[in-house]
Amino acid sequence: MEFLASPELWIAFATLLLLEIVLGVDNVVFISILAGRLPEHQQARARTIGLSLALVTRLILLASLSWVIGLTAPLFTVLGQEISGRDLILLLGGLFLLGKATYEIHEHLEGEEHAKSGKVASFGAVIAQILVLDVVFSLDSVITAVGMVDQLFIMVAAVIIAMIVMLVSAGAISRFVNEHPTVKMLALSFLLLIGASLVAEGFDQHIPKGYVYGPIAFSIFVEFLNLRARKKRQEAKPVHLHPTYVKNGQAHPEPESTTPVG
């Protein structure tokens, strides 16, 4: 049990846990948006199944680390660019995110008439899309974890704890996103940004995560201030006009001017 007394391992665990939670929030937001297309009584079940599949996918990938590491080996070359299994998954996953986020933005901006003509998604179709999303985010998460720490038990512990946090907070995050249209649009914009970064990663153009999540954090902070300001305006008391003067204990309005014009 020497690892319990190692500050380096604890720091690595805390860093990886924070990263897994950040990636998990992305997952929860998109799962919430997809589940929002279902009838209300099925949404919580879809979120739970989606996050459970995310946890299982991550654990399976961690259990097959040799296969995951092998995905980074080049499979073929296109126009001088070596493409590995990881690159293919990131490319397809990034394109999926770009397409799905663009479609969702289009759906939300088309207005009521388009919304009435839209079809309600089936439960199976939503779960299938969530599963595709889970594979993409899980692969990115696991490869990042492999690059940060060497101990498998640290990776497993960080993944399990992060998923527990996501399961507990999924309902609150989903309600917050669905109750605030501007936040939902902002979340879809984030998914466009993440999808573009995954496509870039697939072409071996590494974008530091700070460059992606820094603007996202700043946008969330600004939107938080906007929501607070909007809430204060709604709760503000109406302004009452006071009489100009009081005579004999009774308020009298200011007399109208009788000065002729011109």
Side-chain angles (χ1 to χ4, degrees):
M1 305 293 286
E2 295 180 358
F3 65 91
L4 294 176
S6 174
E8 292 80 6
L9 291 182
W10 280 108
I11 293 174
F13 170 75
T15 305
L16 183 58
L17 177 60
L18 179 62
L19 178 63
E20 291 292 335
I21 290 176
V22 170
L23 293 175
V25 169
D26 294 338
N27 214 341
V28 170
V29 168
F30 201 48
I31 287 174
S32 299
I33 292 173
L34 290 175
R37 302 185 68 85
L38 293 171
E40 188 173 352
H41 66 279
Q42 293 183 336
Q43 293 180 11
R45 182 185 170 203
R47 289 195 302 268
T48 302
I49 293 177
L51 289 172
S52 300
L53 288 173
L55 175 59
V56 171
T57 303
R58 281 165 167 79
L59 293 178
I60 290 175
L61 291 175
L62 285 173
S64 54
L65 281 179
S66 59
W67 177 77
V68 172
I69 295 173
L71 288 175
T72 58
L75 296 177
F76 53 88
T77 302
V78 178
L79 299 177
Q81 177 71 44
E82 293 182 343
I83 303 296
S84 65
R86 172 182 178 271
D87 294 336
L88 280 176
I89 294 176
L90 292 181
L91 281 170
L92 295 175
L95 291 174
F96 171 76
L97 279 181
L98 289 173
K100 189 61 181 176
T102 302
Y103 176 78
E104 292 291 333
I105 291 174
H106 175 74
E107 287 283 293
H108 285 85
L109 294 180
E110 279 298 306
E112 295 182 359
E113 293 183 2
H114 185 79
K116 290 178 181 178
S117 63
K119 296 180 180 179
V120 178
S122 67
F123 188 82
V126 169
I127 295 300
Q129 293 179 63
I130 291 175
L131 182 58
V132 172
L133 182 75
D134 287 339
V135 171
V136 176
F137 276 101
S138 296
L139 181 64
D140 189 36
S141 170
V142 169
I143 290 179
T144 302
V146 171
M148 291 182 61
V149 296
D150 298 326
Q151 290 78 9
L152 180 61
F153 68 90
I154 291 181
M155 301 179 201
V156 172
V159 165
I160 292 176
I161 293 176
M163 283 298 108
I164 291 175
V165 171
M166 291 303 102
L167 281 169
V168 171
S169 60
I173 293 175
S174 179
R175 284 192 300 271
F176 182 77
V177 170
N178 290 324
E179 288 174 2
H180 299 88
T182 56
V183 174
K184 195 168 189 177
M185 196 60 60
L186 194 61
L188 290 170
S189 301
F190 294 163
L191 291 174
L192 286 175
L193 181 60
I194 294 170
S197 68
L198 290 178
V199 172
E201 289 278 350
F203 285 112
D204 293 333
Q205 301 298 317
H206 178 66
I207 301 176
K209 292 189 181 297
Y211 290 172
V212 176
Y213 290 101
I216 289 177
F218 178 75
S219 300
I220 292 174
F221 176 70
V222 172
E223 184 60 23
F224 171 75
L225 295 179
N226 286 333
L227 291 174
R228 286 290 301 273
R230 194 178 302 124
K231 184 178 180 181
K232 285 186 176 181
R233 286 197 300 269
Q234 293 174 351
E235 294 177 351
K237 295 181 179 179
V239 177
H240 297 283
L241 299 178
H242 297 283
T244 304
Y245 66 94
V246 177
K247 183 178 180 180
N248 299 328
Q250 294 182 350
H252 297 270
E254 184 178 356
E256 297 181 0
S257 174
T258 58
T259 304
V261 180

